[in-house]
Amino acid sequence: KNEVEQSPQNLTAQEGEFITINCSYSVGISALHWLQQHPGGGIVSLFMLSSGKKKHGRLIATINIQEKHSSLHITASHPRDSAVYICAVRPWGTRNAGNMLTFGGGTRLMVKP
Amino acid sequence: DVKVTQSSRYLVKRTGEKVFLECVQDMDHENMFWYRQDPGLGLRLIYFSYDVKMKEKGDIPEGYSVSREKKERFSLILESASTNQTSMYLCATRNGGGGQPQHFGDGTRLSIL
């Protein structure tokens, strides 16, 4: 079993819909990242969080440390949100001051106009 | 603005060739990473470097080596390319400790024939 599991693997939505992507992990962590990868490959860091909730524009990320679960929400989705969304965790006890991240397999989102 | 440049977006090489993938950053970041990304497996760390001439193995270093002679440049070397090294390769950098986000290049899609 992977240490970081994302669901769903694929998601198709209509423009304007509220979208939720989930991430569950099985290890103790010091931080969780949400990343966005557009077609073509480039990856952008969206959020890094260790507790609670963060908001940036139409994107909201939440984390529940006790339940080892995080969600990424997109409000009023738009076709330009179409991308792969990747969850990554930084486990406790990582060597070399926490360099290592463990990545989920990604959620491929397509938003149709 | 942060800039991580990978030398090629697409590369085709033959089995047995020695292949060099280059990554250059302009932010004076100490930490640099090489990942490969495969469908269903997510991103996996090959090697990382936390300073000039310093390197550590990641999760899948077999068949690869790295070089960091200057702070801004981190090279990934496939000593004798094999078809199972066909993949998307992503370089990333990070400033300071694990509490900072990683900044990714656009990726190199490498095909080994």
Side-chain angles (χ1 to χ4, degrees), chain B residues 1-111:
Chain B
D1 211 12
V2 172
K3 187 121 180 94
V4 181
T5 303
Q6 293 185 229
S7 52
S8 306
R9 290 301 304 275
Y10 300 93
L11 202 54
V12 180
K13 295 291 182 181
R14 296 212 170 270
T15 304
E17 280 192 67
K18 191 169 186 176
V19 180
F20 293 85
L21 301 183
E22 305 285 350
C23 176
V24 178
Q25 52 119 342
D26 66 355
M27 295 90 58
D28 204 37
H29 287 178
E30 296 91 347
N31 303 288
M32 297 187 76
F33 307 83
W34 273 108
Y35 296 94
R36 64 176 283 177
Q37 184 181 30
D38 300 289
L41 297 176
L43 277 85
R44 292 178 292 166
L45 182 66
I46 305 171
Y47 267 98
F48 66 96
S49 168
Y50 50 92
D51 204 349
V52 174
K53 296 191 187 296
M54 306 303 289
K55 61 187 179 186
E56 285 205 28
K57 294 179 180 179
D59 298 320
I60 51 165
E62 297 78 20
Y64 303 94
S65 62
V66 289
S67 172
R68 192 156 179 212
E69 296 297 317
K70 293 184 179 181
K71 193 173 186 180
E72 66 270 19
R73 185 181 295 269
F74 191 36
S75 303
L76 179 70
I77 304 155
L78 286 65
E79 297 291 344
S80 178
S82 63
T83 54
N84 64 11
Q85 292 177 309
T86 292
S87 187
M88 168 72 100
Y89 289 87
L90 287 145
C91 174
T93 74
R94 195 188 73 209
N95 188 29
Q100 300 297 317
Q102 292 190 14
H103 302 273
F104 287 83
D106 287 338
T108 296
R109 193 167 291 281
L110 175 64
S111 296

Side-chain angles (χ1 to χ4, degrees), chain A residues 24-85:
Chain A
S24 296
Y25 51 92
S26 57
V27 295
I29 68 168
S30 53
L32 181 144
H33 299 249
W34 281 103
L35 309 167
Q36 180 191 56
Q37 184 175 31
H38 277 287
I43 294 178
V44 174
S45 180
L46 296 174
F47 295 104
M48 184 172 61
L49 62 165
S50 54
S51 65
K53 177 178 170 179
K54 286 191 175 180
K55 185 176 189 294
H56 182 68
R58 294 180 294 106
L59 301 178
I60 303 165
T62 64
I63 188 168
N64 185 318
I65 295 292
Q66 287 74 28
E67 295 186 3
K68 293 186 167 62
H69 181 268
S70 175
S71 293
L72 177 68
H73 306 285
I74 305 175
T75 62
S77 60
H78 189 276
R80 65 175 175 265
D81 297 325
S82 298
V84 175
Y85 292 85

